[in-house]
Amino acid sequence: MGAWPRVVVLGSVNMDLVTRVGRRPAPGETVMGTEFVTVPGGKGANQAVAAARSGAQVRFVGAVGADGFGVELTATLVAAGVDVGLLRRVDGASGVASIVVDAGGENSIIVVAGANGLVRELTDGELAAIAQADVLLCQLEIPVETVLVAARHARAAGTVVAVNPSPVRPLPDELWDVVDIAIVNSLEFEHYSTELGQVPHLVRTLGADGAVYRGADGEVVAPGRRVEVVDTTGAGDAFAGAFVARWGQGPEMALNWANAAGAVATTSLGASSSIPDRARIAAELDAD
Ligand code: RIB
């Protein structure tokens, strides 16, 4: 794998409908929000943008709907330098995420899959792209069966399989057999603790406390970085995309790079809009 790997991201694209509030409402309660914005997001698209902004050559496999959101979501990927030649435009609505962000930067998210739920099979062209890539990066906002087909195909072709198993869902055991790199937060770490034991490279993000990598050659720790948190939405995606973009330079480089990317992503509102590029990540690391 070269310094700048060829990455295929298979995953979701959503339009995020983001509301800021002082505190998130309790069940049955109405609270007044302070700001509302629409921001391109989706775990797949965010991770693709993050990998591209970190310097990887990224192709995206997924689907948007035949609506205005689909046009805007596609344009955002293109602007970030992501190859959208394999992005499908299907009948119906694009995926949307309703997001509430509180004063502490913590969020609650409801996703309606829309077009993402229609990615149920992979075309010959998509499979060929996966086989030609250095790394396949997947999450779980598209049908799990499709993730399994892609991961098996990648493994057979010698493509590194990286999975961010988010949001938590039941997964077939066969998927874990072909995962090379798992990137999880603490909630996912607890949920998949048994299965993660068999994954060769495990990366655990710890929120404000940084991240830890564990592999056959030992452990690497990246301590938490001091930043002014505005919105944590997409920080995990910024981390995952940045990590795979630097995977060819070894776990220590990848972890520290991704840790800085994730930290910077918390300092402004929105998901894809807050993902830093190479220069910004390098500046963050230079400040150490
Ligand atoms: O991980 C953050 C993302 O989760 C948001 O962009 C939203 O679209 C949901 O998919």
Side-chain angles (χ1 to χ4, degrees), residues 10-112:
L10 167 65
S12 59
V13 202
N14 299 327
M15 185 57 81
D16 292 351
L17 315 177
V18 186
T19 303
R20 293 195 75 167
V21 290
R23 64 176 176 80
R24 286 171 283 171
E29 184 186 19
T30 300
V31 297
M32 298 302 285
T34 56
E35 187 180 0
F36 175 79
V37 287
T38 56
V39 187
K43 295 185 195 304
N46 295 340
Q47 293 182 19
V49 167
R53 287 190 181 152
S54 274
Q57 306 166 58
V58 184
R59 300 177 87 178
F60 188 81
V61 176
V64 294
D67 53 9
F69 284 166
V71 174
E72 196 179 331
L73 294 166
T74 304
T76 298
L77 288 167
V78 170
V82 175
D83 182 337
V84 295
L86 294 169
L87 178 66
R88 307 174 199 179
R89 190 165 179 267
V90 300
D91 284 343
S94 296
V96 291
S98 297
I99 302 180
V100 178
V101 181
D102 68 21
E106 294 298 332
N107 61 51
S108 301
I109 304 179
I110 301 170
V111 173
V112 178

Side-chain angles (χ1 to χ4, degrees), residues 105-188:
E106 294 298 332
N107 61 51
S108 301
I109 304 179
I110 301 170
V111 173
V112 178
N116 301 303
L118 301 178
V119 185
R120 296 202 167 278
E121 79 302 314
L122 295 171
T123 65
D124 289 346
E126 291 164 349
L127 290 168
I130 290 168
Q132 287 158 12
D134 297 306
V135 181
L136 168 71
L137 176 60
C138 308
Q139 326 71 33
L140 304 179
E141 285 186 337
I142 63 166
V144 166
E145 304 74 37
T146 313
V147 174
L148 177 59
V149 168
R152 281 179 155 167
H153 187 73
R155 168 59 67 91
T159 301
V160 172
V161 178
V163 174
N164 167 224
S166 179
V168 161
R169 296 171 65 176
L171 289 178
D173 290 343
E174 301 93 299
L175 179 64
W176 296 106
D177 293 341
V178 292
V179 173
D180 297 297
I181 304 170
I183 302 171
V184 296
N185 64 19
S186 292
L187 196 142
E188 293 143 11

